[in-house]
Amino acid sequence: EAGVTQSPTHLIKTRGQQATLRCSPISGHTSVYWYQQALGLGLQFLLWYDEGEERNRGNFPPRFSGRQFPNYSSELNVNALELEDSALYLCASSFGDGNSPLHFGNGTRLTVT
Amino acid sequence: AQTVTQSQPEMSVQEAETVTLSCTYDTSESDYYLFWYKQPPSRQMILVIRQEAYKQQNATENRFSVNFQKAAKSFSLKISDSQLGDAAMYFCAYMKFQGAQKLVFGQGTRLTINP
């Protein structure tokens, strides 16, 4: 069974640009989650999508947005990049029953210069 | 708001020995889940073990077991017969029952295995 896959592995952008990160969930999972892992800040919840809808959002500005496609894959978009957006972005998926454990991908390392 | 605290930034253990990682949490909920995740250098967060708060029995997965003390809000991870492949960052995490599927993570403990 294929796990959660994320692309790209690494992404380098300049301040002010936009970044798009992609995630494919485990087959059968309908929920996708995004987490930011920044140095010194630990893992912070960003977004939760289920059945194409945004279900919950962490304490991040609106320039962090995303969507979930009919095949349950997801994109995270970060607009107007700032230096402090440099982090590892982890995607996770689960069954959309509210209680299933999350399974994570290997992450996308975003560097903003 | 729920918080998770891991008071040991780093731990080390000799191969084949036993090590215990500590975690405390704060919540006003009575039903919730607790997890231990492992993050090796490959960066992938791997689920090690999960505990439902309504279960009194401590969860066990092969060499990994937890000591769940609900009243004390403590959730420690014991790794028996430590192996070199156990070296990683270990994160304790909390999730409210039927609520928002939002994991709250501790700051992590870096575990080193000495051969």
Side-chain angles (χ1 to χ4, degrees):
Chain A
E1 176 186 277
V4 176
T5 57
Q6 291 187 245
S7 63
T9 305
H10 294 89
L11 189 58
I12 300 174
K13 292 286 186 179
T14 303
R15 191 171 56 181
Q17 287 186 316
Q18 178 194 36
T20 298
L21 289 63
R22 296 180 176 82
C23 173
S24 292
I26 290 172
S27 177
H29 286 184
T30 61
S31 283
V32 171
Y33 313 81
W34 290 95
Y35 283 80
Q36 182 195 65
Q37 187 175 20
L39 269 176
L41 294 178
L43 282 138
Q44 305 289 323
F45 169 75
L46 255 170
L47 289 158
W48 169 32
Y49 292 95
D50 183 64
E51 296 286 358
E53 301 285 331
E54 182 180 303
R55 301 295 185 185
N56 197 11
R57 183 182 182 86
N59 189 24
F60 281 84
R63 56 191 187 82
F64 286 83
S65 65
R67 54 181 172 167
Q68 186 179 32
F69 299 99
N71 66 353
Y72 302 112
S73 67
S74 176
E75 272 183 4
L76 173 69
N77 294 295
V78 188
N79 294 319
L81 284 165
E82 300 179 3
L83 296 178
E84 51 265 35
D85 296 333
S86 294
L88 179 67
Y89 289 84
L90 290 165
C91 173
S93 73
S94 77
F95 296 109
D97 60 0
N99 294 310
S100 298
L102 277 59
H103 297 268
F104 286 81
N106 286 3
T108 293
R109 172 77 64 190
L110 173 63
T111 302
V112 183
T113 62
Chain B
Q2 294 87 10
T3 59
V4 177
T5 303
Q6 293 178 249
S7 59
Q8 306 154 315
E10 296 183 358
M11 293 279 286
S12 63
V13 64
Q14 290 296 126
E15 194 176 1
E17 298 287 302
T18 295
V19 64
T20 298
L21 308 184
S22 301
C23 172
T24 58
Y25 59 95
D26 187 29
T27 183
S28 58
E29 304 288 332
S30 58
D31 290 329
Y32 49 87
Y33 299 96
L34 294 165
F35 305 86
W36 278 98
Y37 279 90
K38 164 186 175 182
Q39 188 178 38
S42 67
R43 309 183 318 198
Q44 184 180 15
M45 295 284 285
I46 301 166
L47 178 63
V48 174
I49 202 164
R50 162 177 140 146
Q51 175 79 43
E52 291 89 347
Y54 62 86
K55 289 186 177 178
Q56 293 187 342
Q57 187 173 6
N58 290 324
T60 299
E61 287 288 342
N62 300 314
R63 299 182 294 106
F64 299 87
S65 62
V66 298
N67 183 4
F68 173 48
Q69 302 288 328
K70 191 172 184 179
K73 295 181 181 174
S74 168
F75 183 61
S76 61
L77 175 70
K78 185 171 84 171
I79 306 173
S80 304
D81 185 26
S82 297
Q83 300 175 0
L84 294 177
D86 295 334
M89 281 290 287
Y90 285 81
F91 291 93
C92 178
Y94 164 99
M95 186 171 80
K96 186 177 166 184
F97 182 73
Q98 287 284 10
Q101 289 264 259
K102 172 184 161 184
L103 279 169
V104 178
F105 284 91
Q107 291 297 95
T109 296
R110 182 173 301 281
L111 178 64
T112 302
I113 312 295
N114 300 313

